[in-house]
Amino acid sequence: MTHGPFDGRRRFVGPDRRFELVDLVDSGGFGHVWLARDCVLAREVALKFLALDRLVGLRPDPGRLEEVRERFARESLMAAKVDSPYVAKIHDCYMSRTDPFLVMEYVDGRPLSAYVRPKPLPLARTCRWSGQMAEGLAAAHDKGILHRDIKPRNVLIREVDSAVRIVDFGLSRFIDASETRGAAGTPLYMSPERSRGEAGDERSDLYSLGCVMYEMVTGWPPFGDDRADPVALARAHELQSPTPPQVQVPGVPAALDELIMALLAKAPRQRPDNARMVVRAIAEVERPLEAAEANPRAGPAHVLPSPSDGSSADSGFADRLSAAELNVRRLSGQHGPSHALVVAARMELAGLTGRSGDPRGAAELYDRLGRDCRDWYGPGHPRTLDAFTEMARWVSGRGEGSG
């Protein structure tokens, strides 16, 4: 009897039992992702198994089954050509008769969906991750490859350096060709043309990127939430204009607001022409944040300077925010969340968030820390009072570097 890789009995898969299954890390509508060990190269990899029965049925026609397997291999080969530090690499593809799977770079981190909702992200973090996503899309589009399902769940954030890895390139194209129910994708982030069942082009990916950026900036997607009716979402994407992020969240830079709204234009021709234009636009939004870091007494600036040379740049604040956040997680793991060192690290992170030009984010972090300290130490403890005092300073505009 042949056992599948998910029944707890068979722990090795692939030719000559090359891959040892270690842990099931994700399960979606079209398959499962396992952390595995490559016994030949002695490294961790991710194995993405395709659930054939969900695509072709439990008793498929043999010819249809072979067609689906061949298409999966072909799309995987195309996706493997994408070369970008912001796209998870595909190492290999194995076309087992019952359990075809991809061998991918294992990304030790969490999906972007774990960072968004209902709180907006700090502006520097939003710009950094958005720029990296745009660069990853640009590298794929240069090869003629579309993603077709950009969403927070398909964007992983590495633990070690807080950098983006986009996953599942090519899978939606394969599903498109295999499904009879219409275009694959996620209604919350799907472009109007994709919602109508059209193939779309690279500007369809940019629309989805705009939806993700909107969620990063405001805390919610442009239309509805996960409970919304897919048909209603499709109509909203086709017919409704989202509320501009600046209206939802005061303090969003005008240039970032304009970029997101341009990405969310209903007609593809009204969106940026390509992902590299988006990379350059995000770099321009980052420049005032960098200027604020160089001259903190000047406070946050939202006026764009002259155009850049087109190169992308990671904001220094974004790097420092990532390092500060990693330090909070490291200390929490070592000492527990209520330890004084963790509280001090969270105070530092909140202050840095404010100095990056995001007083709203600083106030929210101080407020959250104050509530935690109140639960741990009591309402009159100095740490509780310090956190709430700093929150009030940033709310009133009296935070460090705010004026």
Side-chain angles (χ1 to χ4, degrees):
M1 180 177 179
T2 301
H3 301 302
F6 319 118
D7 59 11
R9 289 171 283 185
R10 178 178 162 203
R11 303 302 299 178
F12 292 87
V13 296
D16 300 321
R17 296 162 54 89
R18 175 172 178 171
F19 301 102
E20 180 185 7
L21 301 179
V22 176
D23 190 25
L24 178 65
V25 296
D26 193 21
S27 184
F30 295 96
H32 309 271
V33 179
W34 280 75
L35 167 63
R37 181 177 180 274
D38 185 337
C39 299
V40 174
L41 298 180
R43 65 178 178 183
E44 290 184 333
V45 294
L47 304 187
K48 188 174 187 72
F49 289 85
L50 187 68
L52 283 176
D53 58 335
R54 300 178 193 175
L55 291 172
V56 297
L58 294 175
R59 292 184 175 84
D61 173 83
R64 167 70 171 156
L65 187 60
E66 187 60 27
E67 175 190 349
V68 169
R69 279 201 299 264
E70 289 179 0
R71 187 178 294 119
F72 182 57
R74 186 164 60 249
E75 297 299 335
S76 301
L77 179 62
M78 289 182 61
K81 296 178 180 178
V82 180
D83 184 16
S84 168
Y86 306 120
V87 175
K89 292 177 174 57
I90 295 178
H91 300 308
D92 214 333
C93 179
Y94 289 92
M95 287 298 99
S96 152
R97 182 168 184 79
T98 56
D99 298 311
F101 63 89
L102 293 177
V103 183
M104 306 167 58
E105 170 191 3
Y106 173 65
V107 181
D108 186 11
R110 296 185 294 167
L112 179 59
S113 55
Y115 293 85
V116 296
R117 294 197 213 172
K119 300 287 187 181
L121 292 180
L123 293 175
R125 180 71 47 78
T126 294
C127 289
R128 183 184 195 223
W129 287 347
S130 297
Q132 291 177 352
M133 284 186 277
E135 288 204 36
L137 287 174
H141 294 168
D142 286 348
K143 299 286 187 181
I145 299 170
L146 307 182
H147 191 286
R148 292 185 170 87
D149 195 19
I150 290 293
K151 59 183 177 181
R153 187 178 173 87
N154 281 340
V155 178
L156 302 181
I157 309 300
R158 287 188 4 139
E159 180 77 21
V160 66
D161 58 5
S162 194
V164 157
R165 291 293 188 277
I166 303 175
V167 299
D168 281 358
F169 263 100
L171 182 60
S172 288
R173 175 183 166 96
F174 162 73
I175 294 169
D176 267 3
S178 304
E179 286 275 275
T180 59
R181 299 191 299 269
T186 304
L188 276 174
Y189 310 95
M190 192 181 293
S191 69
E193 60 273 19
R194 291 284 294 159
S195 298
R196 292 191 295 266
E198 300 170 12
D201 60 18
E202 61 188 62
R203 293 168 299 184
S204 304
D205 278 350
L206 297 186
Y207 182 95
S208 298
L209 174 62
C211 291
V212 174
M213 291 174 62
Y214 189 102
E215 184 171 352
M216 294 166 74
V217 167
T218 68
W220 295 98
F223 306 107
D225 56 27
D226 296 313
R227 297 167 295 180
D229 175 64
V231 175
L233 284 172
R235 288 185 60 81
H237 283 296
E238 289 189 62
L239 302 175
Q240 296 181 22
S241 295
T243 303
Q246 274 191 329
V247 176
Q248 297 255 41
V249 181
V252 174
L256 181 58
D257 183 89
E258 292 167 5
L259 173 59
I260 292 173
M261 294 303 288
L263 290 168
L264 295 177
K266 302 303 180 187
R269 66 179 180 277
Q270 296 175 339
R271 301 171 202 152
D273 289 338
N274 54 62
R276 298 209 179 277
M277 290 182 65
V278 179
V279 172
R280 291 193 291 270
I282 292 172
E284 290 300 317
V285 177
E286 286 183 307
R287 278 187 155 203
L289 302 181
E290 293 173 331
E293 180 182 31
N295 184 18
R297 297 184 66 86
H302 297 325
V303 179
L304 289 183
S306 59
S308 71
D309 60 4
S311 62
S312 65
D314 280 346
S315 161
F317 266 120
D319 291 335
R320 290 170 62 190
L321 283 166
S322 297
E325 196 168 67
L326 289 172
N327 188 46
V328 169
R329 292 206 292 268
R330 179 181 62 81
L331 291 173
S332 296
Q334 290 177 348
H335 305 292
S338 62
H339 195 278
L341 289 175
V342 179
V343 173
R346 288 178 63 182
M347 290 283 284
E348 180 181 354
L349 172 61
L352 185 61
T353 298
R355 294 193 297 276
S356 76
D358 188 10
R360 178 201 68 236
E364 289 176 349
L365 289 175
Y366 279 124
D367 179 56
R368 199 178 310 161
L369 177 59
R371 292 171 185 272
D372 287 342
C373 288
R374 183 178 59 195
D375 292 341
W376 295 329
Y377 311 120
H381 194 279
R383 292 181 188 134
T384 305
L385 298 176
D386 286 348
F388 283 131
T389 298
E390 289 301 313
M391 178 200 71
R393 281 163 50 83
W394 284 103
V395 168
S396 66
R398 293 181 291 110
E400 182 181 349
S402 62

